[in-house]
């Protein structure tokens, strides 16, 4: 294979095995299989929410296996809020919302490292409210006029 220039190069490129170990560490999962399941379910759900150039650029930052999971999803016709994302993930996996939130945090902490601050800002700008905390970021709210 040859190196190809990317418009949004990964800040901390890693293999899928390295990503798997990072998520296993972040989520304190007892096995690689449990970490892999979290990656699969969270990235599939994220793939239904992220669209456009941000989706393409994010896929380029991820290891191939993870990128395929993200891009195999058909984008949803209606975007979910951050809390909606967690509830949808819990429903799809049969997990509790707390477990879905834990899995999301473990996976998206690693995705945040791979995407870098510029791409992450673009992704958060395109998503409805409530996603910043899922990516381990502070969500600043604009003051409302009195």
């Amino acid at each position: 294979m040859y190196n190809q220039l990317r418009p949004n190069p990964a800040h901390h490129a890693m293999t899928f095995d390295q990503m798997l170990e990072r998520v296993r560490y972040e989520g304190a999962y007892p096995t690689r299989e449990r970490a892999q399941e979290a990656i699969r379910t969270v990235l599939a759900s994220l793939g239904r929410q992220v669209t456009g150039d941000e989706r393409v650029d994010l896929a380029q930052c991820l290891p191939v296996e993870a990128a395929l999971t993200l891009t195999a999803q058909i984008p949803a016709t209606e975007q979910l809020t951050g809390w909606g994302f967690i509830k949808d993930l819990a429903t799809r996996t049969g997990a509790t919302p707390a477990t879905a939130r834990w899995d999301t945090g473990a996976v998206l902490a690693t995705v945040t490292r791979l995407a870098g601050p510029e791409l992450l800002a673009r992704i958060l700008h395109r998503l409805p409210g409530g996603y910043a905390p899922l990516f381990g970021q502070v969500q600043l709210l604009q003051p409302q006029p009195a």
Side-chain angles (χ1 to χ4, degrees), residues 14 18-27 110 113:
M14 60 177 70
Q18 290 169 326
M19 181 181 190
L20 189 57
E21 285 304 317
R22 188 79 201 145
V23 169
R24 184 176 177 194
Y25 174 80
E26 291 286 342
T110 303
R113 285 177 173 228

Side-chain angles (χ1 to χ4, degrees), residues 24 28-29 38 42 81 83 91 108 133 135 144-146:
R24 184 176 177 194
Y29 297 119
V42 172
T81 64
W83 174 237
T91 299
L108 294 186
F135 283 93
Q144 300 298 318

Side-chain angles (χ1 to χ4, degrees), residues 17-90:
D17 281 340
Q18 290 169 326
M19 181 181 190
L20 189 57
E21 285 304 317
R22 188 79 201 145
V23 169
R24 184 176 177 194
Y25 174 80
E26 291 286 342
Y29 297 119
T31 64
R32 290 173 55 92
E33 292 76 21
R34 179 65 185 92
Q36 188 168 4
E37 180 67 14
I39 291 170
R40 187 187 64 72
T41 58
V42 172
L43 289 181
S45 290
L46 188 63
R48 288 187 285 278
Q49 298 301 309
V50 177
T51 60
D53 290 340
E54 289 75 21
R55 178 184 173 104
V56 172
D57 293 344
L58 180 57
Q60 288 179 335
C61 294
L62 299 173
V64 172
E65 299 89 332
L68 291 173
T69 299
L70 178 85
T71 58
Q73 305 306 308
I74 297 171
T77 55
E78 183 178 327
Q79 286 188 313
L80 301 171
T81 64
W83 174 237
F85 180 88
I86 296 299
K87 289 192 309 187
D88 182 65
L89 182 60

